[in-house]
C-alpha cells in the first residue's frame, strides 16, 4: 500500500451521495492518472460504492475513510477496501482494523497521539486537520523527535493545489489528502471531464514537488 501511495502522493478524499456516481468517478480519476481513492463513510452510499468500484476497477487502491465505529471497519473490509483511515486516533478502531486485516492509518495532530499510534504499530498516519493544526511547520516539528521511527504522514484538511508542494517536500510526508479534485458539487453534477482535468493538474504539481 505505502509504495502505491508514494508513487502518486495524492489520496483523493471522496464523499459520495449516490452509489451511481461511484463508477463514473473512478473512471474519471483513472483517466486523470490517479489509481487511488478514499471513500469516506460519511454517507449511506459509502459501502455500496466501495463494493462497486472494487468489482469494476481492481487496479484502484481503494480505501475507506472516516471509520469511526467497529462495524464500519468490518463493512469497509467486506466491501473491498484495502486500507482504512480515520480523522482521529481511537485504539479500539485500530484494533478492529488489525483483527479483520485492514491496513489502517489513524488521524493524529499531537505528539501524544503520534506516540500512541506508533505503540500500536501504525507508521502511516493521517495528519488532520493539517492547516489548522499548524500545517507544514507542525510537521517539521514532529519530524524532529519522530522522523527516525519511520513514521510518515498524510496531511489532510486545508490542503490544496496551492500548498501541496510545501507539504510534499517534507521527507516525513508520504502523500497529501485532498478533496478539491473530487469536489462534491462536481461529482453530483457529473462533471467527469473536469474532475479528470483537475486530477491531471494535481498529479503534475505533485510530480514537480519531488
Amino acid at each position: 500500500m505505502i509504495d502505491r501511495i508514494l508513487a502518486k502522493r495524492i489520496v483523493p478524499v471522496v464523499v459520495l451521495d449516490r452509489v451511481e456516481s461511484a463508477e463514473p468517478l473512478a473512471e474519471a480519476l483513472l483517466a486523470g492518472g490517479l489509481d487511488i481513492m478514499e471513500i469516506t463513510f460519511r454517507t449511506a452510499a459509502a459501502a455500496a460504492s466501495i463494493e462497486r468500484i472494487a468489482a469494476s476497477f481492481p487496479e484502484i487502491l481503494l480505501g475507506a475513510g472516516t471509520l469511526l465505529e467497529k462495524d464500519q471497519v468490518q463493512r469497509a473490509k467486506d466491501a473491498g477496501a484495502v486500507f482504512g483511515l480515520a480523522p482521529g486516533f481511537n485504539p479500539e478502531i485500530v484494533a478492529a482494523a488489525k483483527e479483520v486485516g485492514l491496513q489502517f492509518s489513524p488521524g493524529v495532530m499531537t505528539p501524544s497521539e503520534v506516540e500512541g499510534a506508533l505503540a500500536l504499530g501504525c507508521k502511516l498516519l493521517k495528519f488532520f486537520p493539517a492547516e489548522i493544526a499548524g500545517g507544514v511547520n507542525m510537521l517539521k516539528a514532529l519530524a524532529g523527535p519522530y522522523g527516525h521511527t519511520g513514521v510518515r504522514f498524510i496531511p489532510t484538511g486545508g490542503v490544496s493545489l496551492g500548498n501541496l508542494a510545501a507539504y510534499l517536500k517534507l521527507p516525513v510526508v508520504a502523500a497529501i489528502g485532498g478533496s478539491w479534485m473530487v469536489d462534491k458539487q462536481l461529482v453530483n453534477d457529473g462533471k467527469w471531464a473536469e474532475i479528470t482535468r483537475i486530477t491531471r493538474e494535481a498529479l503534475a504539481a505533485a510530480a514537480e514537488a519531488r
Side-chain angles (χ1 to χ4, degrees), residues 18-75:
R18 299 189 299 267
V19 176
E20 292 75 21
S21 299
E23 290 160 309
L25 176 59
E27 289 179 337
L29 289 173
L30 285 172
L34 194 55
D35 58 356
I36 301 170
M37 293 176 72
E38 171 194 342
I39 297 179
T40 65
F41 266 69
R42 301 180 200 172
T43 71
S49 296
I50 290 172
E51 189 171 358
R52 283 197 181 193
I53 294 170
S56 300
F57 304 96
E59 67 270 34
I60 290 180
L61 182 65
L62 193 53
T66 321
L67 297 179
L68 307 179
E69 302 171 3
K70 292 180 182 179
D71 75 295
Q72 291 177 328
V73 172
Q74 185 66 62
R75 286 164 56 206

Side-chain angles (χ1 to χ4, degrees), residues 53-185:
I53 294 170
S56 300
F57 304 96
E59 67 270 34
I60 290 180
L61 182 65
L62 193 53
T66 321
L67 297 179
L68 307 179
E69 302 171 3
K70 292 180 182 179
D71 75 295
Q72 291 177 328
V73 172
Q74 185 66 62
R75 286 164 56 206
K77 175 69 173 178
D78 291 345
V82 297
F83 69 99
L85 308 98
F89 172 56
N90 183 336
E92 291 186 2
I93 302 301
V94 174
K98 284 187 177 181
E99 188 174 333
V100 301
L102 186 69
Q103 298 183 78
F104 194 74
S105 296
V108 300
M109 64 176 285
T110 67
S112 294
E113 290 168 340
V114 172
E115 290 185 22
L118 288 173
L120 294 180
C122 300
K123 289 200 172 183
L124 181 61
L125 308 178
K126 185 170 189 168
F127 178 59
F128 178 84
E131 281 290 281
I132 294 173
V136 169
N137 287 334
M138 182 62 168
L139 284 170
K140 286 180 179 178
L142 291 173
Y146 301 117
H148 71 283
T149 67
V151 67
R152 303 293 292 275
F153 297 96
I154 303 176
T156 307
V159 182
S160 66
L161 184 66
N163 62 13
L164 68 82
Y167 282 101
L168 291 176
K169 287 177 180 177
L170 299 179
V172 291
V173 171
I176 58 93
S179 59
W180 78 94
M181 77 287 293
V182 288
D183 178 82
K184 191 174 180 180
Q185 196 61 54

